[in-house]
Structure formats: structure tokens, C-alpha cells
Coordinates of all heavy atoms in Angstrom, one line a residue:
E1 N 249.6 109.7 67.4 CA 249.5 110.7 68.5 C 250.9 111.1 68.9 O 251.8 110.2 69.0 CB 248.8 110.0 69.7 CG 248.9 110.9 70.9 CD 248.2 110.3 72.1 OE1 247.0 110.3 72.1 OE2 248.8 109.6 72.9
P2 N 251.2 112.4 68.9 CA 252.5 112.8 69.2 C 252.9 112.5 70.7 O 252.0 112.4 71.5 CB 252.6 114.4 69.0 CG 251.1 114.7 68.8 CD 250.3 113.4 68.6
A3 N 254.2 112.3 70.9 CA 254.6 111.9 72.2 C 254.4 113.2 73.1 O 254.6 114.4 72.7 CB 256.1 111.5 72.2
S4 N 254.1 112.8 74.4 CA 253.9 113.9 75.3 C 255.3 114.6 75.7 O 256.3 113.8 75.5 CB 253.2 113.4 76.6 OG 254.2 112.6 77.3
E5 N 255.2 115.8 76.2 CA 256.5 116.4 76.6 C 257.3 115.5 77.6 O 258.5 115.3 77.6 CB 256.3 117.7 77.2 CG 255.9 118.8 76.3 CD 255.7 120.2 76.8 OE1 256.5 120.6 77.6 OE2 254.7 120.8 76.6
R6 N 256.4 115.0 78.6 CA 257.1 114.1 79.7 C 257.8 112.8 79.0 O 258.8 112.5 79.4 CB 256.0 113.6 80.6 CG 256.6 112.9 81.8 CD 255.5 112.6 82.8 NE 255.2 113.8 83.5 CZ 255.8 114.5 84.5 NH1 257.0 113.9 85.0 NH2 255.5 115.6 85.1
H7 N 257.2 112.3 78.0 CA 257.7 111.1 77.3 C 259.0 111.3 76.6 O 260.0 110.7 76.8 CB 256.6 110.4 76.4 CG 257.0 109.1 75.8 ND1 257.3 109.0 74.6 CD2 257.4 107.9 76.5 CE1 257.7 107.8 74.3 NE2 257.7 107.0 75.4
V8 N 258.9 112.4 75.9 CA 260.1 112.9 75.2 C 261.2 113.3 76.2 O 262.4 112.8 76.0 CB 259.8 114.2 74.3 CG1 261.1 114.8 73.8 CG2 258.9 113.9 73.2
A9 N 260.9 113.8 77.3 CA 261.9 114.2 78.3 C 262.6 112.9 78.9 O 263.7 112.7 79.1 CB 261.3 115.0 79.4
L10 N 261.6 111.9 79.2 CA 262.1 110.6 79.7 C 263.1 109.9 78.8 O 264.1 109.4 79.1 CB 260.9 109.7 79.9 CG 261.3 108.4 80.5 CD1 262.2 108.3 81.7 CD2 260.0 107.5 80.8
L11 N 262.8 109.9 77.3 CA 263.6 109.3 76.4 C 264.9 110.0 76.4 O 266.0 109.4 76.3 CB 263.0 109.3 75.1 CG 261.7 108.5 75.0 CD1 261.0 108.7 73.6 CD2 262.0 107.0 75.1
R12 N 265.0 111.4 76.6 CA 266.1 112.0 76.4 C 267.0 111.8 77.7 O 268.2 111.6 77.7 CB 265.9 113.6 76.4 CG 265.4 114.0 75.1 CD 266.4 114.6 74.1 NE 266.1 114.8 72.8 CZ 265.0 115.1 72.1 NH1 263.8 114.9 72.7 NH2 264.9 115.3 70.9
C13 N 266.3 111.7 78.8 CA 267.0 111.3 80.1 C 267.5 110.0 80.1 O 268.7 109.7 80.6 CB 266.1 111.5 81.2 SG 265.7 113.3 81.6
L14 N 266.8 109.0 79.6 CA 267.4 107.6 79.5 C 268.7 107.6 78.6 O 269.6 106.9 78.9 CB 266.3 106.7 78.7 CG 265.2 106.2 79.6 CD1 264.1 105.7 78.7 CD2 265.6 105.2 80.6
E15 N 268.8 108.5 77.6 CA 270.0 108.5 76.7 C 271.2 109.0 77.6 O 272.3 108.7 77.2 CB 269.7 109.5 75.6 CG 268.8 108.9 74.5 CD 268.4 109.9 73.5 OE1 268.9 111.1 73.5 OE2 267.6 109.6 72.6
T16 N 271.0 109.7 78.6 CA 272.1 110.3 79.4 C 272.6 109.3 80.4 O 273.7 109.5 81.0 CB 271.6 111.5 80.1 OG1 270.8 111.3 81.2 CG2 271.1 112.6 79.2
L17 N 271.9 108.2 80.7 CA 272.3 107.2 81.6 C 273.5 106.5 81.1 O 273.7 106.2 80.0 CB 271.3 106.2 82.0 CG 270.0 106.6 82.7 CD1 268.9 105.4 82.7 CD2 270.3 107.1 84.1
P18 N 274.4 106.0 82.1 CA 275.5 105.2 81.6 C 274.9 103.8 81.0 O 273.8 103.4 81.4 CB 276.2 104.7 83.0 CG 275.8 105.8 84.0 CD 274.4 106.3 83.6
P19 N 275.6 103.3 80.1 CA 275.1 102.2 79.3 C 274.5 100.9 80.2 O 273.5 100.5 79.9 CB 276.2 101.6 78.5 CG 277.1 102.9 78.4 CD 277.0 103.7 79.6
E20 N 275.2 100.6 81.3 CA 274.8 99.6 82.1 C 273.5 99.8 82.9 O 272.6 99.1 82.9 CB 275.7 99.0 83.1 CG 275.4 97.8 83.9 CD 276.4 97.1 84.7 OE1 277.6 97.1 84.3 OE2 276.1 96.7 85.9
S21 N 273.4 101.1 83.3 CA 272.2 101.6 84.0 C 271.0 101.6 83.0 O 269.9 101.2 83.4 CB 272.4 102.9 84.5 OG 273.4 102.9 85.6
R22 N 271.2 102.1 81.8 CA 270.2 102.2 80.8 C 269.7 100.7 80.4 O 268.5 100.5 80.5 CB 270.6 102.9 79.6 CG 269.7 103.1 78.5 CD 270.1 103.9 77.4 NE 271.4 103.6 76.9 CZ 272.6 104.4 76.9 NH1 272.5 105.6 77.7 NH2 273.6 104.0 76.5
K23 N 270.6 99.8 80.3 CA 270.3 98.4 80.1 C 269.5 97.7 81.2 O 268.5 97.2 81.0 CB 271.6 97.6 79.8 CG 271.3 96.2 79.3 CD 272.6 95.5 79.0 CE 272.4 94.0 78.7 NZ 273.7 93.3 78.5
L24 N 269.9 97.9 82.4 CA 269.1 97.5 83.6 C 267.8 98.0 83.6 O 266.8 97.3 83.8 CB 270.0 97.8 84.9 CG 269.4 97.5 86.2 CD1 269.0 96.0 86.2 CD2 270.0 97.9 87.4
I25 N 267.5 99.3 83.4 CA 266.2 99.8 83.6 C 265.4 99.4 82.5 O 264.2 99.2 82.7 CB 266.3 101.4 83.8 CG1 265.1 102.0 84.5 CG2 266.4 102.2 82.5 CD1 265.1 101.6 86.0
K26 N 265.9 99.4 81.3 CA 265.1 98.9 80.1 C 264.6 97.3 80.4 O 263.5 97.1 80.1 CB 265.8 99.0 78.9 CG 265.7 100.4 78.4 CD 266.5 100.6 77.0 CE 266.4 102.1 76.5 NZ 267.0 102.2 75.2
Q27 N 265.6 96.6 80.8 CA 265.2 95.2 81.1 C 264.3 95.0 82.2 O 263.4 94.2 82.2 CB 266.6 94.4 81.3 CG 267.3 94.1 80.0 CD 268.4 93.2 80.1 OE1 268.4 92.4 81.1 NE2 269.3 93.2 79.0
R28 N 264.3 95.8 83.2 CA 263.5 95.8 84.4 C 262.0 96.0 83.9 O 261.1 95.5 84.4 CB 264.0 96.9 85.5 CG 263.0 97.0 86.6 CD 263.0 95.7 87.4 NE 262.1 95.7 88.5 CZ 260.8 95.3 88.5 NH1 260.4 94.8 87.5 NH2 260.1 95.4 89.6
Y29 N 261.8 96.9 83.0 CA 260.5 97.4 82.6 C 260.0 96.8 81.4 O 258.8 97.0 81.0 CB 260.3 98.9 82.7 CG 260.4 99.4 84.1 CD1 261.6 99.8 84.7 CD2 259.4 99.2 85.0 CE1 261.7 100.3 86.1 CE2 259.4 99.6 86.3 CZ 260.6 100.1 86.8 OH 260.6 100.4 88.2
T30 N 260.9 96.3 80.5 CA 260.4 95.7 79.2 C 260.5 94.2 79.0 O 259.8 93.5 78.4 CB 261.2 96.4 78.0 OG1 262.5 96.1 78.2 CG2 260.9 97.9 78.0
A31 N 261.5 93.6 79.9 CA 261.7 92.2 79.8 C 260.8 91.5 80.9 O 260.2 92.2 81.8 CB 263.1 91.9 80.1
E32 N 260.7 90.2 80.9 CA 259.9 89.4 81.8 C 260.8 89.0 82.9 O 260.3 88.2 83.7 CB 259.3 88.3 81.1 CG 258.2 88.8 80.1 CD 257.4 87.5 79.5 OE1 257.5 86.5 80.2 OE2 256.9 87.8 78.5
D33 N 262.0 89.6 83.1 CA 262.9 89.2 84.2 C 262.4 89.9 85.4 O 262.1 91.1 85.4 CB 264.3 89.6 83.9 CG 264.9 88.7 83.0 OD1 264.5 87.5 82.9 OD2 265.9 89.0 82.2
D34 N 262.5 89.1 86.6 CA 262.4 89.8 87.8 C 263.7 90.1 88.4 O 264.6 90.0 87.7 CB 261.4 88.8 88.8 CG 262.2 87.5 89.0 OD1 263.3 87.3 88.6 OD2 261.6 86.7 89.7
A35 N 263.6 90.6 89.6 CA 264.9 91.1 90.3 C 265.9 89.9 90.3 O 267.1 90.2 90.1 CB 264.6 91.8 91.6
T36 N 265.5 88.7 90.6 CA 266.4 87.6 90.7 C 267.1 87.3 89.3 O 268.2 87.0 89.3 CB 265.5 86.4 91.1 OG1 265.0 86.6 92.4 CG2 266.5 85.1 91.3
G37 N 266.2 87.3 88.3 CA 266.8 87.1 87.0 C 267.8 88.2 86.5 O 268.8 87.9 86.0
L38 N 267.4 89.5 86.9 CA 268.4 90.5 86.6 C 269.7 90.5 87.4 O 270.7 90.7 86.9 CB 267.6 91.8 86.8 CG 266.5 92.2 85.9 CD1 265.9 93.5 86.3 CD2 267.0 92.5 84.5
A39 N 269.5 90.0 88.6 CA 270.7 89.9 89.5 C 271.6 88.8 88.9 O 272.9 89.0 88.8 CB 270.3 89.4 90.9
K40 N 271.1 87.8 88.3 CA 271.9 86.7 87.7 C 272.5 87.3 86.4 O 273.8 87.1 86.1 CB 271.1 85.5 87.4 CG 270.8 84.8 88.5 CD 269.9 83.5 88.1 CE 269.5 82.7 89.5 NZ 268.5 81.6 89.1
K41 N 271.8 88.0 85.6 CA 272.3 88.6 84.4 C 273.4 89.6 84.5 O 274.3 89.7 83.8 CB 271.2 89.3 83.6 CG 270.3 88.3 82.7 CD 269.4 89.2 82.0 CE 268.6 88.2 81.1 NZ 267.5 89.0 80.3
F42 N 273.2 90.5 85.6 CA 274.2 91.5 85.9 C 275.2 91.2 86.9 O 276.1 92.0 87.1 CB 273.4 92.8 86.3 CG 272.7 93.5 85.2 CD1 271.5 93.0 84.8 CD2 273.2 94.5 84.4 CE1 270.7 93.7 83.7 CE2 272.6 95.1 83.5 CZ 271.4 94.7 83.0
G43 N 275.1 90.1 87.4 CA 276.1 89.6 88.4 C 276.2 90.4 89.7 O 277.1 90.7 90.3
H44 N 274.9 90.8 90.2 CA 274.8 91.5 91.4 C 273.7 90.8 92.3 O 273.0 89.9 91.8 CB 274.3 92.9 91.1 CG 275.3 93.7 90.4 ND1 276.4 94.2 90.9 CD2 275.1 94.2 89.2 CE1 277.0 94.9 90.0 NE2 276.3 94.8 88.9
S45 N 273.7 91.1 93.6 CA 272.7 90.5 94.4 C 271.4 91.2 94.1 O 271.2 92.2 93.5 CB 273.1 90.9 95.9 OG 272.9 92.1 96.2
V46 N 270.2 90.6 94.6 CA 268.9 90.9 94.4 C 268.8 92.3 95.0 O 268.1 93.2 94.5 CB 267.9 90.0 94.8 CG1 266.5 90.5 94.8 CG2 268.0 88.7 94.1
Q47 N 269.3 92.5 96.3 CA 269.2 93.7 97.0 C 269.8 94.8 96.3 O 269.4 96.0 96.2 CB 269.8 93.6 98.4 CG 269.0 92.7 99.2 CD 269.3 91.2 99.1 OE1 270.2 90.9 98.3 NE2 268.5 90.3 99.8
S48 N 271.1 94.5 95.6 CA 271.8 95.4 94.8 C 270.9 95.9 93.6 O 270.9 97.1 93.2 CB 273.1 94.9 94.4 OG 273.7 95.8 93.5
I49 N 270.2 95.0 93.0 CA 269.4 95.4 91.8 C 268.3 96.3 92.3 O 268.1 97.4 91.6 CB 268.9 94.0 91.2 CG1 269.9 93.3 90.5 CG2 267.8 94.5 90.1 CD1 270.7 94.0 89.3
Y50 N 267.6 96.0 93.4 CA 266.5 96.8 93.9 C 267.1 98.2 94.1 O 266.4 99.3 93.8 CB 265.9 96.2 95.2 CG 265.0 95.2 94.8 CD1 265.1 93.9 95.4 CD2 263.7 95.4 94.0 CE1 264.2 92.9 95.2 CE2 262.9 94.4 93.7 CZ 263.1 93.1 94.3 OH 262.2 92.2 94.2
A51 N 268.2 98.3 94.8 CA 268.8 99.6 95.2 C 269.2 100.4 93.9 O 269.0 101.6 93.8 CB 270.1 99.4 96.0
R52 N 269.9 99.7 92.8 CA 270.2 100.4 91.7 C 269.1 100.9 90.8 O 269.1 102.1 90.5 CB 271.1 99.4 90.7 CG 272.4 99.1 91.4 CD 273.3 98.2 90.6 NE 273.7 98.9 89.4 CZ 274.2 98.3 88.3 NH1 274.3 97.0 88.3 NH2 274.5 99.1 87.3
V53 N 268.0 100.1 90.8 CA 266.7 100.5 90.1 C 266.2 101.7 90.8 O 265.7 102.7 90.1 CB 265.7 99.4 90.0 CG1 264.4 99.9 89.5 CG2 266.2 98.3 89.0
K54 N 266.2 101.7 92.0 CA 265.7 102.9 92.9 C 266.4 104.1 92.6 O 265.9 105.1 92.4 CB 265.6 102.5 94.4 CG 265.1 103.6 95.2 CD 265.0 103.1 96.7 CE 264.3 104.2 97.5 NZ 264.3 103.9 99.0
R55 N 267.8 104.0 92.6 CA 268.6 105.2 92.3 C 268.4 105.7 90.8 O 268.3 106.8 90.7 CB 270.1 104.9 92.5 CG 270.4 104.8 94.0 CD 272.0 104.8 94.2 NE 272.6 103.6 93.6 CZ 272.8 102.5 94.1 NH1 272.4 102.3 95.4 NH2 273.4 101.6 93.4
I56 N 268.4 104.8 89.9 CA 268.1 105.1 88.6 C 266.8 105.8 88.3 O 266.8 106.8 87.7 CB 268.2 103.9 87.6 CG1 269.7 103.3 87.6 CG2 267.8 104.2 86.1 CD1 269.7 101.9 86.9
K57 N 265.8 105.4 88.9 CA 264.5 105.9 88.8 C 264.4 107.3 89.5 O 263.8 108.2 88.9 CB 263.4 105.1 89.6 CG 263.0 103.9 88.8 CD 262.2 102.9 89.6 CE 260.8 103.6 89.9 NZ 259.8 102.6 90.8
A58 N 265.1 107.6 90.5 CA 265.1 108.8 91.3 C 265.9 109.8 90.3 O 265.5 110.9 90.1 CB 265.8 108.8 92.5
A59 N 267.0 109.3 89.7 CA 267.9 110.1 88.8 C 267.0 110.5 87.5 O 267.0 111.7 87.0 CB 269.1 109.5 88.3
L60 N 266.2 109.6 87.0 CA 265.4 109.9 85.7 C 264.3 110.8 86.2 O 263.9 111.7 85.4 CB 264.7 108.6 85.3 CG 265.7 107.7 84.6 CD1 265.0 106.3 84.3 CD2 266.2 108.2 83.3
K61 N 263.6 110.6 87.3 CA 262.6 111.6 87.8 C 263.1 113.0 87.9 O 262.5 114.0 87.4 CB 262.0 111.1 89.1 CG 260.9 112.1 89.5 CD 260.4 111.6 91.0 CE 259.3 112.6 91.4 NZ 259.0 112.4 92.8
E62 N 264.3 113.2 88.5 CA 264.9 114.5 88.6 C 265.2 115.1 87.3 O 265.0 116.3 87.0 CB 266.2 114.4 89.4 CG 266.8 115.7 89.6 CD 268.1 115.6 90.6 OE1 268.2 114.6 91.3 OE2 269.1 116.4 90.4
C63 N 265.7 114.3 86.3 CA 266.1 114.8 85.1 C 264.8 115.1 84.3 O 264.8 116.2 83.6 CB 266.8 113.6 84.3 SG 267.3 114.0 82.6
V64 N 263.8 114.4 84.3 CA 262.6 114.7 83.6 C 262.0 116.0 84.1 O 261.6 116.9 83.4 CB 261.6 113.6 83.7 CG1 260.2 114.1 83.3 CG2 262.0 112.4 82.9
E65 N 262.0 116.2 85.4 CA 261.3 117.3 86.1 C 262.1 118.5 85.7 O 261.6 119.6 85.4 CB 261.3 117.1 87.6 CG 260.1 116.3 88.0 CD 260.2 116.0 89.5 OE1 261.1 116.4 90.2 OE2 259.3 115.2 90.0
K66 N 263.5 118.5 85.7 CA 264.3 119.4 85.3 C 264.1 119.9 83.9 O 264.0 121.1 83.5 CB 265.9 119.1 85.5 CG 266.8 120.3 85.5 CD 268.2 119.7 85.9 CE 268.3 119.3 87.2 NZ 269.6 119.0 87.6
R67 N 264.0 118.9 83.0 CA 263.8 119.2 81.6 C 262.4 119.8 81.3 O 262.3 120.8 80.5 CB 263.8 117.9 80.7 CG 265.3 117.5 80.5 CD 265.4 116.3 79.6 NE 266.8 115.8 79.4 CZ 267.5 116.3 78.4 NH1 266.9 117.3 77.5 NH2 268.6 115.9 78.1
L68 N 261.4 119.4 82.0 CA 260.0 120.0 81.9 C 260.0 121.4 82.4 O 259.3 122.2 81.9 CB 259.0 119.2 82.6 CG 258.8 117.8 81.9 CD1 257.8 117.0 82.7 CD2 258.3 117.9 80.5
N69 N 260.7 121.7 83.5 CA 260.7 123.0 84.1 C 261.6 124.0 83.3 O 261.2 125.2 83.3 CB 261.3 123.0 85.6 CG 260.2 122.3 86.5 OD1 259.1 122.4 86.2 ND2 260.8 121.7 87.6
T70 N 262.5 123.5 82.6 CA 263.4 124.4 81.8 C 262.9 124.3 80.3 O 263.5 125.1 79.5 CB 264.8 124.1 81.9 OG1 265.1 122.8 81.5 CG2 265.3 124.4 83.4
K71 N 262.0 123.4 79.9 CA 261.6 123.3 78.6 C 262.8 123.0 77.6 O 262.9 123.4 76.5 CB 260.9 124.5 78.0 CG 259.7 124.9 78.9 CD 258.6 123.8 78.6 CE 257.3 124.3 79.4 NZ 256.4 123.2 79.5
T72 N 263.8 122.2 78.2 CA 264.9 121.9 77.4 C 264.6 120.7 76.5 O 264.0 119.7 76.9 CB 266.1 121.4 78.3 OG1 266.4 122.4 79.2 CG2 267.3 121.0 77.4
P73 N 264.9 120.9 75.2 CA 264.5 119.7 74.2 C 265.3 118.4 74.5 O 266.3 118.5 75.0 CB 264.9 120.3 72.9 CG 265.7 121.5 73.1 CD 265.6 121.9 74.5

């Protein structure tokens, strides 16, 4: 099954993230680490991890919507 436009846009937007942000968001949603584990791995507080994930998700949402609205590959 071909990837949906939204999925393709998300993958493209993930590529635009800074490396540490990309690594954090991928580990948050693909690894079995919770916020505490990620905080230890990245050397930040748990609250900082939650805040960073929230900001990254907002940036990804904006990027995906922009790509879908402009049909940018």
C-alpha cells in the first residue's frame, strides 16, 4: 500500500529536525523508554523531555500541515 500524503509529509518533516530532536522524537515513539529513561539518556530533566517533545510535535504538525496545504513533495 502506498504511503499516504500525510505520512510522506511527516517523514520529510522529520528529516528537517535537528539531529538531537529527531533522535528524541523517534526514541519517544519507537523505543520502550518512558520520559524518565529518555531524560537519563539525553541528560535532561523529565519536565524538559516533556516540554521538548511537545515543541517538536507542534513543529512537526505545523510542517506537515504546511506541506499538505502547498502540496510540496
Side-chain angles (χ1 to χ4, degrees):
E1 169 179 285
S4 71
E5 286 183 48
R6 182 171 293 279
H7 186 250
V8 170
L10 176 58
L11 292 175
R12 293 266 172 14
C13 291
L14 281 167
E15 293 171 359
T16 68
L17 291 175
E20 187 171 319
S21 294
R22 186 171 45 248
K23 184 177 177 183
L24 173 61
I25 206 75
K26 283 184 177 182
Q27 287 191 14
R28 174 67 180 97
Y29 290 101
T30 61
E32 294 185 16
D33 280 332
D34 59 6
T36 303
L38 290 172
K40 288 178 183 174
K41 279 186 180 179
F42 285 86
H44 298 287
S45 69
V46 173
Q47 293 81 6
S48 172
I49 293 297
Y50 281 124
R52 292 180 70 195
V53 167
K54 184 176 180 178
R55 283 192 302 270
I56 294 166
K57 285 174 56 177
L60 287 172
K61 180 180 180 194
E62 182 179 334
C63 178
V64 167
E65 289 174 355
K66 195 177 291 186
R67 284 182 177 275
L68 292 176
N69 289 334
T70 61
K71 302 290 185 196
T72 302

